[in-house]
Amino acid sequence: MLAGILITIREGLEAFLVIGILLGYLTKINQKKYFKHVWLGAIGAIVFSVIISFIFRALKFSFEGEGAELFEIVVAAVAIILLSYMVVWMQKQSKNIKGELQAKIDEVLSNNQVWGIAVLAFVTVIREGIETALFLTALKGEGLLLGSFMGLLIAAIISALLYKTTVKLNLRKFFMITGWLLIFIAAGLTSHTIHALGELGIVPPIIEKVWSLEWLIPDESLLGKLLHAFIGYESTPSLMQVIAYSAYVLIVGKMFTNNSKETT
């Protein structure tokens, strides 16, 4: 549930902030009559994202045995790639995204293509929706669906406060913190994928248990579940899992940090 909350807060806030930028700029240029186009595109993207999410989950449960494991591995691999790109790209583009969206609105209005505003909202929001659907399909655990709805609600409340009041949020710092949390979640998913490949005999574990912390923090304990949700904790990882986890954090973390320095 916690991983689902974090993912949808991050993705939902990005989507709602984009909607806020579009609405704010239309207000600034006295074009509020096009609000309906923004909401039509955004709502359409949300509905389509929910449908895609249910399709992914239906496919997940339609496979059995090795087929199910292979499907989960493929979905996890795609989710890891997309999430890594999203985290690194968003940190690099966050400084320019507002200006780019405003320029696109100016372009569609100057060409008298007002439905382009709906398309712009749809494309921007659907990207976040498909990423979320993929990642939630790849994750395992109880309460993911409930957690995703809770995260989306929290994101909507934060966005409404930012748009309607004088409440200020340091977005750069917010995306920095949530970006690192998502990197650790993705590292845990990478480790789990390596474990799944090991069970299929595709990737040898080399050493079955590098260490065992089951006596201290069992996987099924509350603390174990919390740590698993936020940093991908496992009490008895194999050597290949440790290597995959560490390599992911080092490589993606370095890219993320470098992009963060470029935007300061």
Side-chain angles (χ1 to χ4, degrees):
M1 177 185 287
L2 292 173
I5 291 174
L6 176 61
I7 291 166
T8 50
I9 284 179
R10 165 84 185 210
E11 298 281 355
L13 187 57
E14 286 183 14
F16 288 131
L17 286 174
V18 167
I19 294 171
I21 290 171
L22 295 177
L23 295 178
Y25 187 61
L26 288 173
T27 300
K28 182 179 178 180
I29 61 176
N30 297 316
Q31 297 292 342
K32 286 187 176 182
K33 60 184 178 181
Y34 297 123
F35 272 21
K36 61 184 179 182
H37 294 77
V38 174
W39 287 117
L40 183 62
I43 292 171
I46 292 170
V47 171
F48 189 73
S49 298
V50 171
I51 293 172
I52 290 294
S53 182
F54 278 110
I55 290 174
F56 283 158
R57 294 192 71 81
L59 285 172
K60 179 178 180 178
F61 292 116
S62 68
F63 291 95
E64 296 180 356
E66 285 193 5
E69 293 181 11
L70 286 171
F71 177 77
E72 290 182 5
I73 289 170
V74 170
V75 171
V78 174
I80 291 166
I81 293 169
L82 279 179
L83 183 74
S84 304
Y85 173 78
M86 178 272 294
V87 168
V88 174
W89 177 87
M90 186 61 191
Q91 192 65 19
K92 185 176 183 178
Q93 297 296 322
S94 58
K95 186 178 180 180
N96 304 318
I97 190 169
K98 184 175 181 180
E100 290 176 359
L101 288 171
Q102 292 177 350
K104 287 178 181 178
I105 289 180
D106 289 336
E107 182 181 350
V108 297
L109 290 179
S110 64
N111 294 328
N112 200 29
Q113 298 173 339
V114 295
W115 284 102
I117 297 174
V119 174
L120 178 59
F122 180 88
V123 171
T124 307
V125 175
I126 196 65
R127 183 182 62 213
E128 312 296 341
I130 292 177
E131 287 172 356
T132 303
L134 268 171
F135 206 68
L136 291 177
T137 302
L139 287 173
K140 289 186 176 182
E142 299 177 358
L144 276 176
L145 188 60
L146 176 60
S148 64
F149 281 117
M150 289 175 62
L152 197 60
L153 178 61
I154 293 170
I157 292 171
I158 293 173
S159 301
L161 288 173
L162 291 172
Y163 185 73
K164 293 290 187 180
T165 71
T166 58
V167 174
K168 298 294 181 182
L169 175 66
N170 188 325
L171 293 177
R172 193 185 69 82
K173 186 173 292 186
F174 175 84
F175 285 125
M176 172 72 77
I177 294 171
T178 57
W180 272 110
L181 288 173
L182 288 178
I183 286 171
F184 283 115
I185 289 175
L189 185 57
T190 302
S191 171
H192 176 77
T193 302
I194 293 297
H195 176 72
L197 289 170
E199 289 186 334
L200 293 175
I202 299 174
V203 176
I206 303 179
I207 298 175
E208 289 284 353
K209 294 182 182 180
V210 178
W211 60 71
S212 177
L213 296 177
E214 186 68 22
W215 60 275
L216 181 62
I217 309 175
D219 290 328
E220 296 304 314
S221 66
L222 176 60
L223 180 57
K225 290 179 179 179
L226 286 171
L227 291 174
H228 180 76
F230 284 110
I231 62 171
Y233 168 81
E234 287 192 31
S235 61
T236 56
S238 69
L239 179 58
M240 286 302 296
Q241 284 182 276
V242 173
I243 292 173
Y245 186 100
S246 302
Y248 183 91
V249 172
L250 287 173
I251 295 170
V252 179
K254 182 174 177 57
M255 294 170 63
F256 182 71
T257 302
N258 289 341
N259 282 342
S260 299
K261 289 178 181 178
E262 290 178 10
T263 58
T264 54

